[in-house]
Amino acid sequence: MLMRIGGKDTEGIDTAWIDVKNPATRELIDRVPSGTKEDVVCAVDAAGVAFDTWAKKPTRDRGMILYHAAQKVRDQYKDLARLLTREQGKPMKESSDEVRGFANILEFYAGISAGQNGEAIRLGAAGDCIVVRQPLGICGAIIPWNMPVLIMGWKIGPALLAGNTMVLKPASSTPLTNLRLAQILEEAGLPPGVLNVVTGSGESVGTAIVKHPAVRKLSFTGDCATGYKIREMAGACLKDITLELGGSDPMIVMPDAEIDKAVEGALRGRFYNAGQTCTAVKRLYVHEKISTLFIQKLKARVDALTVGNGLGSKIDMGPMSSADQREKIVQMVEETRNSQKGTILTGGYKLKGTAYEQGFFYRPTLVTDVVPGSSLVTRELFGPVLPVMTVPDLDTAIREANNTRFGLGASIWTKELSTTKRVFDEVKAGIIWVNRHLTVPPEVPFGGINESGIGRENGHHALFSYSQTKTLYLGW
Ligand code: NAD
């Protein structure tokens, strides 16, 4: 597939290409241009030309285009989900949910488009003020490979509704569904140049978007280390910035929790998307009164998970997204095994055999008796491995939950209101779930504190972050 710049399929100035391969089979699916700084300049120019007309359209008209695009996405969700599974690896059910999640986001923003009001401030003898919100201009979006469709929706939904235009860079390994979605948006009436997709590496295309002086806001989702670099580059030219970075979400299970429900929550919370989700359950703290039973039940469910090519039927978990991602997990588990900082209760190995040989498969893994300070709990564990720690009381659980540099999400599993209140008040995170984990609806602000990032996506909060106020002061 080609890049999408100014409403046209574009080859790119360089003649280099990036192969996109299925992580389950390493089969070549397609290739995309390896974009350059010059391609980013063309895309920013196209976004600049499109901006004036797009920004002047009534918000409601912009919303209707998003709405029509959502309907087209729903009509084609099976094809889109198949493309996503082929390039990213996740099972078809998860891809289908993600594609429909993209449509939900566009529909949410379309739905609030007619109610975008400003405010009036009366100052008595000093006059009156009318405050309106206006778009920021050209925005840049840089997204990762783990949830490429959903995260594209989180960025384009509010940015385009607010009247901005955008240059988006997909991850190098998962650009195809993003490119197809950009085409669908145009088929639904999005004018050329409003959304431009430039494919290529982070170092060339990503950096060029961040440094381009005409890009006034940058929204990045990805690794913390990349986030730090981007913040530094963007700060040099005073850009507005949203950073959605890593997480190490704790899940706390108290003795009064519904055990079976909590077991299912942990299973989905950790192994969804082969564990490659920012808000996955990455550390589980279970009260000692129920830990033996809980771990026994969880192990039985983990052992029953079917791993395989996401295109197959009845597959619970696909491959990891790349050899590098799997290698990071292998190293962390082996280090734990060798240093005896935890007990590998089940899993802990790469899957072998004909069905697995070409793909980046890893057996879902549970590690118990994890020693505090082990890298399994101090680093972001971005794969299908769940460290489970037994705790004597809620105080210890809260203290350990907060023993992290991240602060994205956390969950508490209990029927007690007072326990819920303590966790809500004391655990440091952007979202606290009660008796669930991982759900991220488009209406609800999403984002973390500390090293999990800056700013919020979704809801009205994201819409505000893609706009700024302008005041008309009436002296009368
Ligand atoms: P990554 O930082 O390696 O890559 C993300 C994107 O940034 C890619 O498009 C990449 O090409 C680009 N990039 C890389 N270096 C760059 C540079 N120097 N300048 C500009 N762009 C650059 O992250 P990843 O491995 O693709 O994603 C996994 C990470 O994303 C995990 O840490 C995960 O927790 C995080 N994540 C966070 C959220 C959230 O909303 N908080 C959601 C999903 C994923």
Side-chain angles (χ1 to χ4, degrees):
M1 283 176 96
L2 298 179
M3 300 193 278
R4 200 77 194 155
I5 299 179
K8 293 196 183 92
D9 284 338
T10 308
E11 280 208 350
I13 284 156
D14 202 354
T15 51
W17 293 83
I18 297 172
D19 288 343
V20 183
K21 294 185 178 173
N22 184 332
T25 58
R26 299 197 203 189
E27 141 219 30
L28 181 68
I29 308 167
D30 207 335
R31 55 181 202 159
V32 294
S34 181
T36 58
K37 186 179 167 191
E38 289 71 27
D39 296 312
V40 171
V41 171
C42 293
V44 172
D45 287 349
V49 171
F51 176 72
D52 283 342
T53 322
W54 181 246
K56 281 185 192 133
K57 261 187 192 299
T59 315
R60 194 180 176 138
D61 291 0
R62 293 195 293 261
M64 281 313 288
I65 293 174
L66 297 183
Y67 179 76
H68 290 313
Q71 303 321 299
K72 283 182 178 288
V73 168
R74 287 196 189 284
D75 290 346
Q76 299 173 45
Y77 90 88
K78 282 191 185 149
D79 290 343
L80 288 161
R82 198 177 151 76
L83 185 59
L84 177 58
T85 289
R86 290 178 71 211
E87 66 176 336
Q88 202 275 349
K90 61 186 71 185
M92 277 297 284
K93 185 188 173 319
E94 293 181 10
S95 289
S96 303
D97 287 348
E98 187 168 337
V99 169
R100 285 187 292 237
F102 178 89
N104 289 343
I105 297 162
L106 297 195
E107 285 164 358
F108 167 72
Y109 284 106
I112 61 171
S113 63
Q116 292 311 302
N117 302 321
E119 56 182 316
I121 301 169
R122 310 217 64 183
L123 300 169
D128 290 311
C129 289
I130 298 172
V131 183
V132 297
R133 294 202 78 88
Q134 59 175 9
L136 301 171
I138 303 166
C139 298
I142 300 179
I143 64 178
W145 47 265
N146 66 329
M147 311 279 268
V149 168
L150 202 67
I151 293 169
M152 177 182 184
W154 289 355
K155 304 208 186 292
I156 67 161
L160 302 190
L161 183 72
N164 303 284
T165 55
M166 185 166 253
V167 177
L168 179 140
K169 189 197 99 59
S172 309
S173 59
T174 55
L176 302 177
T177 323
N178 292 147
L179 284 164
R180 181 66 199 115
L181 286 167
Q183 286 171 349
I184 290 177
L185 276 140
E186 285 172 10
E187 288 158 16
L190 195 73
V194 171
L195 174 63
N196 306 276
V197 182
V198 183
T199 53
S201 73
E203 284 69 30
S204 62
V205 173
T207 306
I209 294 174
V210 179
K211 288 189 170 168
H212 197 300
V215 172
R216 293 319 304 151
K217 176 177 173 96
L218 212 274
S219 180
F220 167 80
T221 301
D223 190 57
C224 274
T226 320
Y228 271 96
K229 279 191 216 160
I230 287 183
R231 185 171 190 199
E232 208 175 310
M233 288 189 276
C237 34
L238 218 61
K239 286 182 207 300
D240 192 334
I241 190 159
T242 299
L243 296 177
E244 294 293 350
L245 309 178
S248 182
D249 287 13
M251 166 172 176
I252 301 173
V253 188
M254 295 306 285
D256 66 316
E258 276 182 47
I259 292 199
D260 290 338
K261 193 173 165 188
V263 165
E264 291 310 309
L267 193 78
R268 181 170 184 277
R270 175 68 275 196
F271 299 103
Y272 183 84
N273 199 20
Q276 304 164 123
T277 306
C278 51
T279 49
V281 173
K282 296 192 180 126
R283 297 173 291 143
L284 196 148
Y285 299 99
V286 56
H287 195 284
E288 63 185 14
K289 279 192 189 151
I290 52 160
S291 63
T292 305
L293 179 62
F294 183 90
I295 291 169
Q296 183 195 335
K297 282 178 177 256
L298 183 59
K299 178 177 181 301
R301 292 292 286 122
V302 171
D303 286 344
L305 289 174
T306 315
V307 182
N309 186 331
L311 292 176
S313 58
K314 298 191 180 140
I315 295 297
D316 297 312
M317 197 181 95
M320 296 193 63
S321 221
S322 68
D324 282 355
Q325 289 301 320
R326 184 172 66 170
E327 209 38 50
K328 281 185 200 164
I329 290 299
V330 168
Q331 279 178 16
M332 286 167 86
V333 171
E334 289 318 307
E335 187 193 311
T336 306
R337 202 193 306 269
N338 296 336
S339 60
Q340 298 180 338
K341 285 188 176 164
T343 307
I344 317 294
L345 189 65
T346 187
Y349 54 89
K350 294 183 198 175
L351 284 161
K352 297 203 175 74
T354 335
Y356 301 118
E357 191 157 275
Q358 295 300 319
F360 310 119
F361 295 99
Y362 194 81
R363 186 66 222 166
T365 301
L366 283 182
V367 188
T368 52
D369 312 317
V370 179
V371 174
S374 153
S375 64
L376 284 191
V377 289
T378 55
R379 288 171 55 193
E380 183 182 27
L381 191 49
F382 214 58
V385 178
L386 180 57
V388 182
M389 281 71 64
T390 297
V391 286
D393 49 41
L394 184 60
D395 287 342
T396 312
I398 292 176
R399 195 176 59 243
E400 288 303 319
N402 282 335
N403 190 9
T404 175
R405 59 197 176 97
F406 298 106
L408 198 50
S411 65
I412 171 70
W413 298 71
T414 182
K415 295 193 198 86
E416 275 291 327
L417 203 53
S418 56
T419 306
T420 302
K421 180 163 168 32
R422 272 204 62 198
V423 170
F424 182 69
D425 286 344
E426 295 176 34
V427 172
K428 298 185 179 92
I431 182 164
I432 307 284
W433 287 280
V434 183
N435 298 326
R436 64 191 309 147
H437 200 112
L438 215 60
T439 324
V440 183
E443 300 87 333
V444 180
F446 173 78
I449 61 168
N450 298 334
E451 291 194 38
S452 286
I454 299 172
R456 294 291 177 264
E457 305 219 77
N458 291 346
H460 286 83
H461 294 257
L463 196 58
F464 282 171
S465 80
Y466 283 102
S467 60
Q468 58 201 340
T469 60
K470 186 167 189 180
T471 302
L472 179 67
Y473 196 127
L474 302 161
W476 303 126

